Amino acid sequence: MASINVAIVGAGPAGSYLAYRLAQYGIEVLLFDFRAPWDRPCGGGVTGKVIEAIPLLKEFSGFYEVHHLHFISPSGHQCQIEVPEGFFSLSRKELNQFLLGHAQKAGASFIPKKVKEIYWRGGQEVWEIRTEDGEQYLAYHLIGADGANSFVAQKLQLPKPLEAPLTLGVGYHFPYDFERVATIKFLDDLPGFLWVLPHENQSTVGIVATAPLLHGQRLFEKLDQFISQYYELEISDQMRRFVGSIPWYEKFQADRIMGHRWTMIGDAAGWVDMVSKEGIYYSLMSAATLGEAMGVSLPDGDYRPLWKEGLLPMLQQLNAARRWYKRFYRYKKLDKMIERTRGSLSYQKLVIDFLSGRQTYSRLRRR
Ligand SMILES: Cc1cc2nc3c(=O)[nH]c(=O)nc-3n(C[C@H](O)[C@H](O)[C@H](O)COP(=O)(O)OP(=O)(O)OC[C@H]3O[C@@H](n4cnc5c(N)ncnc54)[C@H](O)[C@@H]3O)c2cc1C
């Protein structure tokens, strides 16, 4: 059995985009996923900065432009702003299909199976990866891109995401669009929000929140109440449910996510913005940065110094979002902020700059 250079577990945006970039560098890649490309539980909201950062996405035809953002504060203040550019929705199945297709076209081998065992064969310095059917594969480098409840992280005995507080998201795929108006309603009893995100002839409608103890059922009850109160719609069988968790770490650190011949990216590394819950951007950015570092360093060099250096701006952003999280989810403050946004063009501009990526968390306070 020949050893392949890189094995990637998980063909979500992180794994597939990394496979695509490595294959472009001529690196042999095995990409494992038992259900990709699938409609992963997700709102599907992305900001313009994703398209700016990942050139391949200019070829993706599945972006659906949202024209207005409607905010509702915890106590019910409302404001609607026009979004001239930079906020989109997408179908997760279409995005996953697009990225996986490009990875395969570039030369990555896709193995549509579940990874069941991973061993480090110290003598030969290779990873042995076993799939559910007992098949074995050998690889010099192992990448965990297998999402929030990462099996790779478990096998490597990495520190787990915090179990409390827990961040959970639930929702429905709705068979209506809402005329390109996205709605965000901040909760009045938990740090989190309800959302309505229109897509072509459909929408995702959901709720995401963080709490020490959180049950999906409680979130569905809140969501159903919101849907009937604001849209006067009844939940029917046509509305497909979804439930998913979002990883939560105390601090984002480079050393926790890499070691000798292994590294983690995307949700498996815990890379989600704590305020907005935006993870697609970070999964793609972590893949892009790692792809670059591996591409110029392999087969013989150590990619980790370059990878660490490339990570720094993202780690700063994620840690800044973590700090903002505590200040942002204060109910009275959110009320005030939404009232101000309604009456102030400069606040509206700030929201728009945020969505396009021109405004970062680190410079938010100064502004
Ligand atoms: C309810 C909810 C709403 C969200 N809304 C948004 C949003 O609007 N915008 C946004 O930017 N982010 C959102 N996120 C976050 C976003 O979905 C994730 O950050 C993003 O999907 C991470 O991509 P990834 O490639 O790292 O992991 P994933 O997309 O989770 O992909 C991991 C892949 O690994 C595979 N896998 C797992 N275990 C194995 C195994 N043992 N063997 C083989 N394959 C395996 C899985 O099948 C999966 O395909 C949301 C998350 C949730 C839960």
Side-chain angles (χ1 to χ4, degrees), residues 9-15 32-35 38 40-45 92 113-115 145-147 151 169-170 195 242 244-246 265-267 272 277-281 283:
V9 184
F32 296 88
D33 201 311
F34 59 105
R35 58 188 160 179
W38 65 302
R40 183 215 195 273
C42 184
R92 280 305 301 269
K113 295 179 196 172
K114 188 169 199 158
V115 170
D146 52 341
F151 172 74
V170 307
W195 82 81
F242 60 81
S245 63
I246 290 177
I265 51 173
D267 269 21
V272 179
K277 316 301 180 211
E278 188 184 7
I280 297 172
Y281 170 75
S283 65

